């Protein structure tokens, strides 16, 4: 697993003199705060920063305290931006076929998989060109804080960004694919075959045995042959770490994802960095 550490990548010529050219992407998760500042004209990443939280918490006011501390310690965030987007990273989501979606029935799509409360605010994103809707619970108090600091912004769920990027590229692949987005204590799993999404789910894991069990169990349920389907890893994973090795031990075709972000990145953005911030770099 990757070590939790603060990451800062700055373009040597980064300038923020023209607010109309500046876009800010923010990613909020229970274990950290990430952002990147983008020049909208050149589509280059001027600055990327990540602050891991010392203690992660799903208690709303604790999460807000973590976000406030990380936000206030980032001078770049006090610059002017003409547009801002925010991605909420959590496993509080469910994918619904557009044909079955009813905006007035949002709790119904979550109640069988999650414990929801009467006062929970539920949002949804539509995936462009894929007739799917992602229904989820955002961090409302964090949104309110960011609105006070940054003004209006658009927000999405991380699953929306992940699925959009994967389906756009891999939907018509000949082989079935399972994609794993590795996070510190859970991972997202996306299965694509027969020109459509087969499954999107999240699994909590404590060790490599949990990790490979859920992947193989999912493959079995989907009738994906471990000798044939392709397993693609992204997120907090590097080649030959424990998760990569256990996957390669049981599955013939294992690869690390290649970033297809349309952003211009300098040499500081290694392949490992691009995987770790895959969703953030595909957010814009």
């Amino acid at each position: 697993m990757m070590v939790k550490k603060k990451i800062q990548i700055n373009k040597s010529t980064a300038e923020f003199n023209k607010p109309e050219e500046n876009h800010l992407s923010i990613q909020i998760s229970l274990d950290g705060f990430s952002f990147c500042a983008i020049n909208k004209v050149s589509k280059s990443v001027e600055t990327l920063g990540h602050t891991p939280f010392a203690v992660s918490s799903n208690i709303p006011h604790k999460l807000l305290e973590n976000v406030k501390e990380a936000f206030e310690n980032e001078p770049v965030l006090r610059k002017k931006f003409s547009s801002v987007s925010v991605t909420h990273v959590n496993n509080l989501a469910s994918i619904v076929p557009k044909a079955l979606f009813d905006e007035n029935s949002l709790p119904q799509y979550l109640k069988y998989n999650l414990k929801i409360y009467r006062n929970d605010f539920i949002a949804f994103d539509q995936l462009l060109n894929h007739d799917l809707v992602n229904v989820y619970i955002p961090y409302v108090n964090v949104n309110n804080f960011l609105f006070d600091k940054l003004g209006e912004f658009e927000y999405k769920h991380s699953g929306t960004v992940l699925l959009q990027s994967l389906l756009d590229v891999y939907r018509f692949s000949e082989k079935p694919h399972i994609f794993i987005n590795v996070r510190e204590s859970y991972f997202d799993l996306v299965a694509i075959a027969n020109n459509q999404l087969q499954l999107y789910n999240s699994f909590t894991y404590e060790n490599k045995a949990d990790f490979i069990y859920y992947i193989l169990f999912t493959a079995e349920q989907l009738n994906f042959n471990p000798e044939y389907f392709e397993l693609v890893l992204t997120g907090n994973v590097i080649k030959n770490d424990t998760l990569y090795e256990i996957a390669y031990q049981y599955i013939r075709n294992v690869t690390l994802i290649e970033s297809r972000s349309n952003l211009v990145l300098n040499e500081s953005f290694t392949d490992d960095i691009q995987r770790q911030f895959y969703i953030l770099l595909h957010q814009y």
Side-chain angles (χ1 to χ4, degrees), residues 2-14:
M2 300 189 77
V3 177
K4 293 176 65 175
K5 61 181 180 180
K6 184 169 182 175
I7 295 173
Q8 194 82 30
I9 299 175
N10 298 314
K11 187 177 178 182
S12 60
T13 58

Side-chain angles (χ1 to χ4, degrees), residues 86-135:
V86 177
T87 297
H88 295 257
V89 181
N90 60 38
N91 56 0
L92 309 176
S94 181
I95 299 299
V96 181
K98 191 174 182 179
L100 303 178
F101 177 72
D102 179 2
E103 187 175 345
N104 298 313
S105 302
L106 297 182
Q108 304 301 317
Y109 304 120
L110 297 177
K111 69 178 185 179
Y112 296 109
N113 298 321
L114 305 171
K115 186 175 183 178
I116 59 176
Y117 300 92
R118 183 174 299 177
N119 61 345
D120 279 338
F121 176 76
I122 302 175
F124 65 92
D125 302 327
Q126 298 194 39
L127 275 74
L128 298 177
N129 304 318
H130 297 294
D131 292 329
L132 298 171
V133 181
N134 188 7
V135 181

Side-chain angles (χ1 to χ4, degrees), residues 200-261:
Y200 167 69
N201 206 348
S202 298
F203 298 92
T204 301
Y205 72 99
E206 295 183 358
N207 51 53
K208 64 180 183 180
D210 294 340
F211 180 76
I212 193 61
Y213 169 80
Y214 288 122
I215 295 173
L216 292 176
F217 177 78
T218 299
E220 181 181 19
Q221 297 303 304
L222 295 174
N223 293 318
F224 284 11
N225 184 345
E227 294 291 317
Y228 183 70
F229 81 85
E230 294 191 11
L231 180 69
V232 184
L233 305 176
T234 190
N236 289 350
V237 61
I238 59 177
K239 191 168 186 179
N240 298 325
D241 70 5
T242 56
L243 298 184
Y244 181 96
E245 286 183 346
I246 193 69
Y248 193 73
Q249 183 176 340
Y250 288 92
I251 299 167
R252 177 177 292 274
N253 303 303
V254 180
T255 60
L256 298 173
I257 202 164
E258 294 182 7
S259 177
R260 289 179 168 83
S261 170

Side-chain angles (χ1 to χ4, degrees), residues 174-186:
E174 293 183 2
K175 282 189 174 183
H177 283 73
I178 290 180
F179 301 88
I180 304 295
N181 179 45
V182 179
R183 301 199 61 82
E184 184 178 356
S185 59
Y186 76 92

